[in-house]
Amino acid sequence: MAQISISNLTFYYEGSFDNIFDGVSFSIDTNWKLGFIGRNGKGKTTFLNLLMGEYEYQGVINTPTAFDYFPYSINVGKYLSASEMISSWKPGCEEWRVICELGKLNEDADILYRGFDTLSLGERTKIMLAVLFSGENDFLLIDEPTNHLDEKARECVKNYLASKKGFILVSHDRELLDVCIDHVLVLNRKTIEVQNGNFTSWWENKTKKDQYALAENEKHKKEIRKLKQAALQTSSWADKNENTKIGFDPVKEHDRSISTRAYIGAKTKKMQSRVKQMEKRIGREIEEKEDLLVDIEQSIDLKLNPLIHHKSVLINIDKYGLKYKKAEKVLFDNLSFNIKQGERIALHGENGCGKSTLIRMMLDKSGYKLPHSVNKNSCENIESQGVCEIAPGLVISYISQDTSYLSGSIDNYCKEHDLDKSLFCSILRQLDISRSHLSKNIEEYSEGQKKKVLIAASLLTPAHIYIWDEPLNYIDVFSRMQIEKLILDYQPTMLFVEHDVRFREEIATKEVNLATGIESILFDVLE
């Protein structure tokens, strides 16, 4: 057990106007299971890289331990196996240790010897975690291990990490954080704090603290208003008194001219002095309280403009199946469900079962034009059977999994997608993307910020149905709750794929399992 201490850490990227970290100090224990929480783009991955010695910085980082980082870099030939990559990932790592760790992740050793490109995302993640935990005396830095993983793989990773210690876990999955951590490291707006507990206990404490701070701030605002009103009154009296000197005729009142003007001048000077003193007092009051709200996450309520269709059933799927033409691989068959206005349906199933393919077939049937070339021909190799009916004139707002095609300026993106730039930037600001980022090219954004570009575009598009394919990958927990509130407030018709269990539980009215074809009603919004 050792202490990692950070003192007066200051860091900024070359060419940037803002510091990522500005004189922050804290310490953490290498025996902790530490959850790292913060908004997208606030510096979580940057901090991990600072610990790894990747960047120069000001201040002191005292690290009496070695670090290892997940995910490992994969710059290898596509037919190379994981077994051949272990030594480059973790020099000195013994393969038998990796095999033991894979057993704890419910995987057989044979996946180490298959071509890495043939492995699923879940299998790749498990191999990397097995290698990561096969060393000794390392403090492990784990950066978002469950993105794109289905629920089964997430559950396995969650149970595995819950049995370990000595790591920092960056994740936006509230369920994962609650089960796997015993301390939180939080990037607030202006500070960094360390607290004992998991995500839920931290959030409850934070909510109470924020409510108290808001109440105190309201008292402060009322006092400031009174002080300003008093200052304004005093200033008015001073001005009125000064104006009595205007038009004064010393010839008519030569006997009293000197004494009267001196009296008025002295009285005015005294009043003006009181005004200045009051202004200083107000300034001091504001200065004393100016840090009161700097760390409060005050999410702005988002807006949505769902359209109403003249038909009650928007999409009808009846005894529907999909398979690859050449490989004859069946994705699913005999699937039946429909989407009525006001319903929010979650597509559920393991990775590779056909959720995204089903969505693309629906988009193709509706005549929706996909925004990029990656998936344009994705339906050509798919053979379907059964019924997939789309209501005529259906307007769809779609979010894809993929963000790799995003590039160029915000201005060009808005022109390309016929979006009002002012409203679009306003939504991005509400999703906590800074003004400085709005002038950057989108390819410079973090993965979470790129996702927010797609979300903002979808929210700005009036639609009969919102079809979102894993919209929350990389999205910070504050924005997730912000989006949950938006959907519950406006209750649009939705079809979505999302592996965040808590998001599904909050949002979905129905769940459709592609593996079983079973439709589960979670609650009926149409009653």
Side-chain angles (χ1 to χ4, degrees), residues 439-498:
S439 61
K440 296 180 180 179
N441 284 340
I442 300 174
E443 61 265 29
E444 298 178 51
Y445 286 17
S446 71
E447 287 301 316
Q449 290 168 328
K450 288 177 182 177
K451 272 290 186 181
K452 288 180 179 180
V453 167
L454 298 182
I455 291 171
S458 181
L459 297 183
L460 199 53
T461 304
H464 296 119
I465 184 170
Y466 293 81
I467 299 180
W468 290 0
D469 193 359
E470 296 192 26
L472 300 186
N473 283 332
Y474 305 103
I475 293 290
D476 62 75
V477 67
F478 305 105
S479 296
R480 291 184 185 213
M481 290 189 283
Q482 194 178 5
I483 293 165
E484 283 174 8
K485 185 178 186 303
L486 164 79
I487 294 170
L488 293 175
D489 285 347
Y490 287 87
Q491 302 201 2
T493 306
M494 296 188 75
L495 175 69
F496 67 92
V497 177
E498 180 51 56

Side-chain angles (χ1 to χ4, degrees), residues 137-395:
N137 303 320
D138 287 344
F139 189 64
L140 306 178
L141 313 177
I142 308 171
D143 199 353
E144 303 198 49
T146 58
N147 279 328
H148 301 290
L149 297 189
D150 59 37
E151 188 171 345
K152 183 178 179 181
R154 282 179 178 233
E155 189 70 18
C156 183
V157 168
K158 180 180 73 175
N159 293 334
Y160 179 72
L161 291 178
S163 69
K164 301 294 185 180
K165 62 181 180 180
F167 58 78
I168 295 179
L169 171 63
V170 177
S171 179
H172 305 302
D173 188 322
R174 289 159 283 181
E175 183 73 16
L176 183 72
L177 290 170
D178 269 350
V179 171
C180 296
I181 66 173
D182 55 23
H183 287 76
V184 292
L185 176 64
V186 186
L187 286 182
N188 294 315
R189 292 190 176 274
K190 296 291 183 182
T191 62
I192 294 181
E193 67 171 315
V194 179
Q195 193 177 115
N196 185 32
N198 60 14
F199 174 84
T200 295
S201 64
W202 166 77
W203 182 253
E204 289 173 352
N205 290 336
K206 176 176 174 54
T207 301
K208 292 176 184 176
K209 181 180 175 183
D210 288 355
Q211 288 173 344
Y212 175 78
L214 286 167
E216 287 297 302
N217 187 65
E218 193 55 41
K219 291 179 186 177
H220 169 66
K221 285 179 179 177
K222 288 179 181 177
E223 186 175 349
I224 292 298
R225 283 196 293 269
K226 289 179 182 178
L227 287 169
K228 285 183 176 179
Q229 188 176 2
L232 186 64
Q233 181 111 30
T234 306
S235 178
S236 176
W237 289 339
D239 290 342
K240 185 176 180 180
N241 203 58
E242 179 69 16
N243 289 338
T244 61
K245 292 164 58 177
I246 298 174
F248 181 81
D249 188 351
V251 175
K252 291 182 180 179
E253 301 190 33
H254 60 279
D255 292 333
R256 294 186 298 157
S257 60
I258 297 175
S259 60
T260 302
R261 287 179 63 84
Y263 172 75
I264 294 172
K267 186 177 179 183
T268 300
K269 185 176 181 181
K270 185 175 181 181
M271 285 186 175
Q272 288 173 339
S273 175
R274 286 181 62 192
V275 171
K276 288 181 180 178
Q277 289 175 357
M278 193 161 287
E279 287 175 346
K280 285 181 180 179
R281 182 185 169 194
I282 291 171
R284 285 197 302 270
E285 287 281 336
I286 293 172
E287 191 174 335
E288 287 172 4
K289 298 288 186 178
E290 66 182 354
D291 291 332
L292 188 60
L293 295 178
V294 293
D295 282 342
I296 294 182
E297 288 289 349
Q298 291 179 295
S299 297
I300 301 172
D301 287 348
L302 299 168
K303 294 182 180 180
L304 195 62
N305 187 24
L307 302 176
I308 303 299
H309 199 276
H310 63 278
K311 283 186 171 288
S312 61
V313 177
L314 303 186
I315 297 176
N316 180 45
I317 303 295
D318 187 35
K319 297 179 180 178
Y320 194 63
L322 294 177
K323 67 177 182 178
Y324 291 109
K325 290 179 181 177
K326 294 181 179 179
E328 292 295 319
K329 177 186 176 183
V330 176
L331 292 171
F332 59 85
D333 59 8
N334 205 34
L335 180 68
S336 296
F337 71 96
N338 57 41
I339 305 174
K340 298 176 183 177
Q341 290 202 68
E343 291 184 327
R344 299 183 296 277
I345 295 183
L347 289 180
H348 188 49
E350 296 182 7
N351 286 343
C353 72
K355 300 184 296 295
S356 295
T357 307
L358 173 60
I359 285 175
R360 290 196 291 269
M361 292 296 285
M362 291 178 178
L363 295 173
D364 188 58
K365 285 269 188 181
S366 72
Y368 183 91
K369 293 183 179 180
L370 289 164
H372 51 93
S373 60
V374 177
N375 293 320
K376 277 188 176 177
N377 301 318
S378 60
C379 298
E380 293 182 0
N381 297 320
I382 300 294
E383 187 176 292
S384 65
Q385 60 181 10
V387 176
C388 176
E389 292 179 333
I390 308 296
L394 190 69
V395 179

Side-chain angles (χ1 to χ4, degrees), residues 52-179:
M52 295 282 287
E54 297 293 328
Y55 305 129
E56 294 184 2
Y57 57 87
Q58 298 174 20
V60 177
I61 299 179
N62 183 18
T63 58
T65 184
F67 296 99
D68 201 4
Y69 179 85
F70 171 97
Y72 292 113
S73 177
I74 309 172
N75 296 318
V76 294
K78 65 178 182 177
Y79 297 111
L80 209 59
S81 69
S83 175
E84 296 170 277
M85 290 189 268
I86 290 175
S87 59
S88 63
W89 287 346
K90 198 177 189 73
C93 178
E94 297 176 279
E95 196 166 295
W96 68 269
R97 289 179 178 269
V98 178
I99 293 172
C100 290
E101 294 300 321
L102 281 174
K104 299 174 186 176
L105 285 157
N106 301 326
E107 289 291 348
D108 294 327
D110 71 308
I111 66 171
L112 287 175
Y113 311 107
R114 286 162 43 192
F116 199 76
D117 66 319
T118 67
L119 302 176
S120 69
L121 288 172
E123 288 170 332
R124 294 182 185 189
T125 296
K126 290 176 182 179
I127 288 174
M128 289 187 187
L129 287 174
V131 174
L132 192 75
F133 282 95
S134 293
E136 294 181 356
N137 303 320
D138 287 344
F139 189 64
L140 306 178
L141 313 177
I142 308 171
D143 199 353
E144 303 198 49
T146 58
N147 279 328
H148 301 290
L149 297 189
D150 59 37
E151 188 171 345
K152 183 178 179 181
R154 282 179 178 233
E155 189 70 18
C156 183
V157 168
K158 180 180 73 175
N159 293 334
Y160 179 72
L161 291 178
S163 69
K164 301 294 185 180
K165 62 181 180 180
F167 58 78
I168 295 179
L169 171 63
V170 177
S171 179
H172 305 302
D173 188 322
R174 289 159 283 181
E175 183 73 16
L176 183 72
L177 290 170
D178 269 350
V179 171

